[in-house]
Amino acid sequence: MKRYPIYALLITLFLSSATAFAQKTKQPNFIIILADDLGYGDLGVYGHPTIRTPNLDKMALEGTRFTQFYVAANVCSPSRAALLTGRLPVRNGVFGTSAANKVFFTNSTSGLPLRETTLAKALKGKGYQTAIVGKWHLGSLPEFLPTNYGFDSYFGIPYSNDMGKESFRTDANGKPIVADNPVLPLYRDTKVVETEPNQDLLTKRFTSEVTDLITKNRSKPFFIYYASPFPHVPLHASPDFAGKSKRGPYGDVVEELDWSVGQILNKLKELKLDQNTFVVFLSDNGPWLMKSLIDENGGSSGLLYEAKGSTYEGGMRVPAIAWMPGTVKSQVSSTVATSMDLFPTILKWAGAEVPANTRLDGSNIADILTGKSGKSAEIVYYYENNDLYAIRKGPYKLHFKTNASYSQKPAAVHNPPLLYNLEHDPSEKFEIGRKYPQVIEELSAAAKQHLATVVPVDAELDKRAAKK
């Protein structure tokens, strides 16, 4: 009789091992959670003293938290295009030419070029169920909706949440000013199912959609791209979170986003999909500093200088956490990585091929995530629209041009360029070019070499067509 507890323990261990083995032998699932305008310093695990983010803090403890992770652009549309294609905006064609057209607007007549291969399209070719929930912002005309880029389903808004009737501007009484914009549509696939949805409830609705998709596709490989419209302004939190954060409305929104992440991770654990699902959380660019200065509705870059709309660190270095228990190592990584690295990494894990005749700007970082290696290319290109403003190689960053976020002034051109050691000085306070002229020469040469690979989008298309 006394042996039964031992047998029960052995059976439990066997079943647990069998479950883990079954998870590992299946094609892995992928979930990308993208915040909108979340700053480097806005999460508890990245040092914010009053915004409570227990779920993201735990995700970071169980996975890899990056301290030097970059996006490819300092504003929304080009950053999202680069994430989904693994290519710099100057290559995939989603970049502006002035401050007035950095992103797609409600009246834009173009979108992400249809020739581009997105993560969804590449994974769909390997039998994945693909879905996007939340904000798209890569074209709003019917031909540029997500279902034309490899996504099986779409539930969300086509552009930023301030591009509907509700503006982020408020009157003297704090009430939102009605903007002279088209109504904000909420899509289900290719059909508008609501206009001007109650934004207080969007995070809960989008979270429910993601967890339902996980449940629905639990026996199939899936890719879910959850692009939250928050904490972009106007800020909205549900009654469960409104007025609860010490950081005010901005903190309320971030804390609800943290709750949302917790619901998703808990659903994966509940369905025993956690060890076979790669989840990454990041922001699309730095915080909207202008909103912080005006009404405290913007985020924080922490110790980094400047914010969204600039090529300083605060505009393009973002919080990023990767998670897949048993595969992704529990670590804090200072290795330089970018959002474009996710494209080749995910395709490799899925057993999918990189699109032929396509120049990627990301690298496979699986060895970094699993703790096998801490090495990376460690080169970052900082573009303002289609103009290269700065380059980073190793610890050094070289600024050819600088400008403040959303400045109406022409950019300052630096000759010689400004040099900073980001390992020593992440706040970009101390210019060291006089001490290291050879580093300026080396990085200038690297920038020149890179620019030689950047051809106009139409010319690249012609080259691809000629090879077919």
Side-chain angles (χ1 to χ4, degrees), residues 36-37 71-82 89 94-96 98-99 101-104 135 137 284-286 288 307-310 315-316 383-385 406:
D36 195 341
D37 288 1
V71 289
N74 55 32
V75 288
C76 171
S77 293
S79 175
R80 289 158 194 264
V94 181
F95 58 85
S98 69
N101 70 342
K102 281 187 173 186
V103 302
F104 293 113
K135 173 181 167 181
H137 214 174
D284 65 340
N285 46 246
W288 203 344
K308 172 184 179 180
S310 82
M316 296 176 64
Y383 274 90
E384 173 72 14
N385 296 322
Y406 292 95

Side-chain angles (χ1 to χ4, degrees), residues 225-263:
Y225 172 43
Y226 170 29
S228 171
F230 300 116
H232 192 289
V233 292
L235 299 173
H236 283 274
S238 70
D240 289 340
F241 290 88
K244 302 296 175 61
S245 171
K246 291 182 179 180
R247 173 56 179 83
Y250 186 88
D252 296 340
V253 172
V254 175
E255 290 184 5
E256 185 161 26
L257 181 58
D258 174 78
W259 166 86
S260 177
V261 173
Q263 294 295 111

Side-chain angles (χ1 to χ4, degrees), residues 62-73:
E62 296 175 347
T64 293
R65 177 170 69 88
F66 287 94
T67 60
Q68 301 194 92
F69 194 96
Y70 293 87
V71 289

Side-chain angles (χ1 to χ4, degrees), residues 346-358:
I346 287 175
L347 292 193
K348 182 68 175 179
W349 274 344
E353 297 294 328
V354 171
N357 302 323
T358 299

Side-chain angles (χ1 to χ4, degrees), residues 32-201:
I32 295 177
I33 305 173
L34 186 69
D36 195 341
D37 288 1
L38 183 75
Y40 186 83
D42 282 332
L43 303 179
V45 73
Y46 279 87
H48 200 285
T50 56
I51 298 179
R52 298 164 298 183
T53 54
N55 295 294
L56 284 162
D57 296 354
K58 183 179 180 183
M59 181 182 178
L61 183 64
E62 296 175 347
T64 293
R65 177 170 69 88
F66 287 94
T67 60
Q68 301 194 92
F69 194 96
Y70 293 87
V71 289
N74 55 32
V75 288
C76 171
S77 293
S79 175
R80 289 158 194 264
L83 169 66
L84 290 177
T85 65
R87 288 156 52 79
L88 285 165
V90 73
R91 294 197 208 281
N92 63 40
V94 181
F95 58 85
T97 54
S98 69
N101 70 342
K102 281 187 173 186
V103 302
F104 293 113
F105 290 94
T106 58
N107 60 350
S108 295
T109 58
S110 62
L112 176 65
L114 291 165
R115 64 177 174 270
E116 291 293 317
T117 300
T118 65
L119 260 176
K121 186 175 181 180
L123 291 172
K124 190 172 174 60
K126 293 298 292 185
Y128 277 74
Q129 302 297 305
T130 59
I132 171 175
V133 177
K135 173 181 167 181
W136 172 236
H137 214 174
L138 289 174
S140 57
L141 292 180
E143 59 266 38
F144 299 116
L145 291 177
T147 49
N148 293 310
Y149 296 90
F151 288 100
D152 295 317
S153 67
Y154 169 41
F155 182 62
I157 57 177
Y159 30 70
S160 295
N161 66 324
D162 65 331
M163 293 184 177
K165 290 298 181 184
E166 182 185 350
S167 169
F168 58 78
R169 294 170 294 166
T170 57
D171 61 21
N173 297 317
K175 294 184 178 180
I177 295 173
V178 176
D180 186 21
N181 294 330
V183 293
L184 181 68
L186 178 67
Y187 275 84
R188 169 70 69 182
D189 300 328
T190 60
K191 295 182 179 180
V192 176
V193 293
E194 289 180 38
T195 55
E196 294 297 324
N198 182 350
Q199 293 198 39
D200 291 353
L201 304 179

Side-chain angles (χ1 to χ4, degrees), residues 288-322:
W288 203 344
L289 185 61
M290 184 192 311
K291 299 307 300 172
S292 297
L293 297 174
I294 295 173
D295 52 18
E296 300 183 349
N297 281 346
S300 168
S301 298
L303 82 170
L304 305 179
Y305 182 58
E306 262 290 348
K308 172 184 179 180
S310 82
T311 52
Y312 288 105
E313 291 297 286
M316 296 176 64
R317 192 191 298 199
V318 298
I321 303 167

